């Protein structure tokens, strides 16, 4: 056999071996519901029509983000018209809504499959009794101790957060910032904002400012523009990032006026928060496309949650759907023990197993960094499966994605 045919034979054998590494995922994928599946779209259209009748709205209203915000569902009465709720569930929703705000946009509510009590979209948006469990902390990140001025959170040398609002389009049941949400929307306080701009101006090592909340896009375009304009007037601010879940919970928020406005303030990035492939609906994908067209790179920060995405194939599928929508998976957050969210918790070992599965089996661009937010405001800590398994004087022992060990010279 010639050298070439020998090489081809080995390559073909190896390709078969590689195929087997993805066979399981390919077998599972058709059973993971995606927001663009015809079945999912049909169910959404049915619920949407019901909601439009109940709320006396038109198609144009549905696509108007202000209408969506005004018509958020915040109690069990309307909810039980769409989902089958027991008496107990209705009572729970009423009392839990008092403990932790409950409001969901008609758009996001229409994504829930009413026939599925374990629907991940439902778990993310509708209160359930395990939220009454009082264990966990209110502020595990120690945000009170990292606030040098105004509405700033600073934990890093060159970047900081501006918490411009406590409002969100929807109040996620797993929210890690529940303490901030409060009972009513608090508008940006101009004095605190101006104090924050002053701080950034006086600390020119700050080159990256994250505008978030709550949800930065709960503000109007005018309010946002005031913030962006002021940040851009500070010469040391190089990059501005917006933190918002609206591409997921209120995709109509990404309207033409918003895109035209942000184009004036580049380089501007946006980080959002998709947790499940179901959330990548045609509407959400269109919102991401508009952002891309406006030159805004989009990153995704998923939270790892039991009953939603604690499954390596679901995470793999989510990241593929994100890449198709030109959204780069950026972080997977380990859920902290925040009061009222304990039932969503996933162990670090299970998180690592998901990361271990992704590496090698899919594009590096589709692999986010798994992060634990250190208690006490000590920052984000990336955690990785062990790829460096031993070190001795001259060599390191490395493990590849398939678990094969390799000796490699240190110097
Ligand atoms: C997460 C975070 C940032 C941004 O961190 P990156 O890792 O650069 O995305 C900045 N400031 C604070 C306080 C943060 O928590
Ligand atoms: S959008 Fe973000 S801050 Fe707002 S409720 Fe959801 S997770 Fe919390």
């Amino acid at each position: 056999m010639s050298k070439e045919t020998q090489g081809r034979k080995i390559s073909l054998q190896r390709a078969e071996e590689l195929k087997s590494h993805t066979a399981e995922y390919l077998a599972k994928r058709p059973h993971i519901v995606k927001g663009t599946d015809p079945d999912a779209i049909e169910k959404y259209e049915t619920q949407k029509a019901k909601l439009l009748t109940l709320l006396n709205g038109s198609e144009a209203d549905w696509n108007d983000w202000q209408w969506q915000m005004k018509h958020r569902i915040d109690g069990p009465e309307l909810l039980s018209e769409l989902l089958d709720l027991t008496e107990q569930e209705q009572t729970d929703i009423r009392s839990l809504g008092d403990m932790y705000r409950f409001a969901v946009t008609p758009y996001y509510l229409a994504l829930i499959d009413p026939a599925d009590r374990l629907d991940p979209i439902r778990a993310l948006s509708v209160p359930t009794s395990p939220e009454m469990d009082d264990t966990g902390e209110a502020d595990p990140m120690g945000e009170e101790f990292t606030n040098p001025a105004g509405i700033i959170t600073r934990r890093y040398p060159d970047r900081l957060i501006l918490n411009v609002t406590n409002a969100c389009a929807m109040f996620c049941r797993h929210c890690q910032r529940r303490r901030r949400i409060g009972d009513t929307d608090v508008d940006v306080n101009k004095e605190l904002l101006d104090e924050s701009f002053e701080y950034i101006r006086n600390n020119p090592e700050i080159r990256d400012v994250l505008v978030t909340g709550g949800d930065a896009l709960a503000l109007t375009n005018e309010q946002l523009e005031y913030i962006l304009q002021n940040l851009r007037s500070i010469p040391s601010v190089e990059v501005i990032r917006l933190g918002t879940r609206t591409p997921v919970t209120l995709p109509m928020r990404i309207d033409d006026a918003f895109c035209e406005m942000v184009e004036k303030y580049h380089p501007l990035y946006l980080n959002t928060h998709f947790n499940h492939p179901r959330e990548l609906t045609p509407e959400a994908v269109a919102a991401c496309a508009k952002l891309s067209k406006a030159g805004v790179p989009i990153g995704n920060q998923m939270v790892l949650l039991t009953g939603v995405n604690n499954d390596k194939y679901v995470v793999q599928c989510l990241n593929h759907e994100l890449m198709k929508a030109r959204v780069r998976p950026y972080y997977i957050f380990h859920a902290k023990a925040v009061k009222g969210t304990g039932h969503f918790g996933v162990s670090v070992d299970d998180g690592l197993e998901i990361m271990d599965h992704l590496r090698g089996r899919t594009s590096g661009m589709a692999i986010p960094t798994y992060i634990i937010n250190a208690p006490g405001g000590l920052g984000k800590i990336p955690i990785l499966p062990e790829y460096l398994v031993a070190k001795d004087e001259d060599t390191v022992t490395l493990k590849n994605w398939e678990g094969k060990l390799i000796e490699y010279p240190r110097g």
Side-chain angles (χ1 to χ4, degrees):
M1 206 184 283
S2 77
K3 218 172 163 191
E4 284 95 88
T5 34
Q6 181 66 11
R8 175 57 55 84
K9 198 175 154 213
I10 293 170
S11 306
L12 284 169
Q13 264 168 11
R14 176 63 175 150
E16 281 309 308
E17 204 175 299
L18 293 174
K19 249 181 210 279
S20 75
H21 276 296
T22 201
E24 204 169 310
Y25 171 64
L26 291 180
K28 302 258 180 191
R29 192 176 61 176
H31 307 290
I32 301 171
V33 184
K34 297 157 217 74
T36 45
D37 287 351
D39 268 9
I41 294 174
E42 203 182 304
K43 283 180 183 163
Y44 162 75
E45 291 295 343
T46 306
Q47 293 294 80
K48 173 181 163 183
K50 257 192 213 170
L51 271 160
L52 280 177
T53 307
L54 286 166
L55 299 169
N56 199 18
S58 65
E59 183 69 28
D61 288 334
W62 189 265
N63 296 318
D64 171 358
W65 74 270
Q66 308 261 24
W67 182 90
Q68 288 274 342
M69 287 295 276
K70 264 191 227 107
H71 292 84
R72 287 185 294 182
I73 289 80
D74 59 3
E77 292 77 20
L78 232 163
L79 198 62
S80 53
E81 304 268 345
L82 285 128
L83 306 178
D84 172 29
L85 297 175
T86 63
E87 282 297 321
Q88 187 59 47
E89 279 173 320
Q90 298 191 33
T91 315
D92 289 349
I93 289 168
R94 220 168 270 121
S95 48
L96 278 162
D98 292 338
M99 283 168 80
Y100 306 107
R101 257 184 109 175
F102 167 52
V104 50
T105 54
Y107 163 79
Y108 198 81
L109 182 56
L111 297 180
I112 299 178
D113 178 352
D116 181 6
R117 284 198 168 263
L118 299 176
D119 184 327
I121 305 289
R122 182 170 179 155
L124 290 164
S125 55
V126 178
T128 52
S129 56
E131 286 182 44
M132 287 171 193
D133 185 338
D134 217 24
T135 50
E137 291 171 76
D139 176 23
M141 289 191 280
E143 289 186 339
E144 310 298 359
F145 307 108
T146 48
N147 172 222
I151 48 170
I152 286 172
T153 304
R154 182 173 184 182
R155 291 191 202 124
Y156 293 110
D158 72 337
R159 59 202 185 282
L160 52 74
I161 287 183
L162 271 188
N163 296 292
V164 295
T165 177
N166 76 338
C168 296
M170 169 178 113
F171 299 102
C172 311
R173 303 327 292 174
H174 64 283
C175 182
Q176 306 275 293
R177 289 216 151 81
R178 292 197 133 178
R179 178 185 54 87
R180 283 193 180 282
I181 301 299
D183 302 323
T184 49
D185 295 345
V186 179
D187 264 346
V188 259
N189 175 326
K190 195 172 164 302
E191 241 164 80
L192 287 177
L193 261 180
D194 291 342
E195 183 186 318
S196 308
F197 299 141
E198 188 63 19
Y199 177 88
I200 298 169
R201 199 178 292 281
N202 293 332
N203 293 273
E205 72 279 11
I206 300 300
R207 44 161 288 288
D208 179 0
V209 177
L210 277 76
V211 180
T212 182
D215 191 315
L217 269 68
L219 300 186
T220 63
N221 290 339
E222 292 68 35
Q223 288 172 313
L224 271 172
E225 182 150 26
Y226 176 78
I227 295 165
L228 298 180
Q229 223 162 32
N230 273 280
L231 289 175
R232 271 289 162 246
S233 77
I234 306 172
S236 45
V237 173
E238 296 171 354
V239 165
I240 301 173
R241 294 194 243 175
L242 294 174
T244 175
R245 210 175 172 216
T246 56
V248 187
T249 55
L250 183 68
M252 39 299 276
R253 176 66 186 86
I254 313 299
D255 58 9
D256 294 336
F258 173 77
C259 291
E260 279 160 32
M261 190 272 288
V262 292
E263 275 188 278
K264 292 184 266 175
Y265 302 98
H266 277 313
L268 191 134
Y269 291 67
L270 183 146
N271 275 343
T272 190
H273 175 173
F274 286 96
N275 282 330
H276 193 280
R278 284 271 305 281
E279 293 174 328
L280 281 132
T281 62
E283 282 88 341
V285 172
C288 294
K290 284 185 96 154
L291 287 167
S292 291
K293 211 167 168 193
V296 181
I298 316 164
N300 190 61
Q301 310 193 155
M302 183 196 108
V303 184
L304 184 56
L305 303 165
T306 288
V308 178
N309 53 24
N310 58 327
D311 177 297
K312 58 191 178 186
Y313 302 115
V314 169
V315 175
Q316 187 170 357
C317 180
L318 169 68
N319 291 340
H320 290 173
E321 294 301 301
L322 289 169
M323 292 292 289
K324 281 158 65 183
R326 282 177 282 170
V327 179
R328 170 85 155 90
Y330 179 47
Y331 283 149
I332 290 183
F333 285 120
H334 183 75
K336 300 170 288 285
V338 177
K339 240 184 221 175
T341 70
H343 54 297
F344 283 115
V346 176
S347 73
V348 173
D349 290 323
D350 288 350
L352 281 171
E353 207 179 300
I354 291 172
M355 297 314 296
D356 188 56
H357 167 79
L358 294 177
R359 180 61 59 192
R361 282 177 193 78
T362 195
S363 326
M365 285 195 74
I367 305 180
T369 308
Y370 182 35
I371 294 282
I372 294 186
N373 240 316
L378 293 177
K380 297 181 177 67
I381 300 176
I383 46 174
L384 272 177
E386 295 281 359
Y387 296 113
L388 177 60
V389 293
K391 269 187 195 178
D392 64 30
E393 213 154 302
D394 304 317
T395 62
V396 286
T397 307
L398 305 175
K399 194 178 79 182
N400 88 337
W401 62 276
E402 295 166 278
K404 292 180 181 157
L405 296 178
I406 300 115
E407 289 263 318
Y408 196 83
R410 279 187 81 157

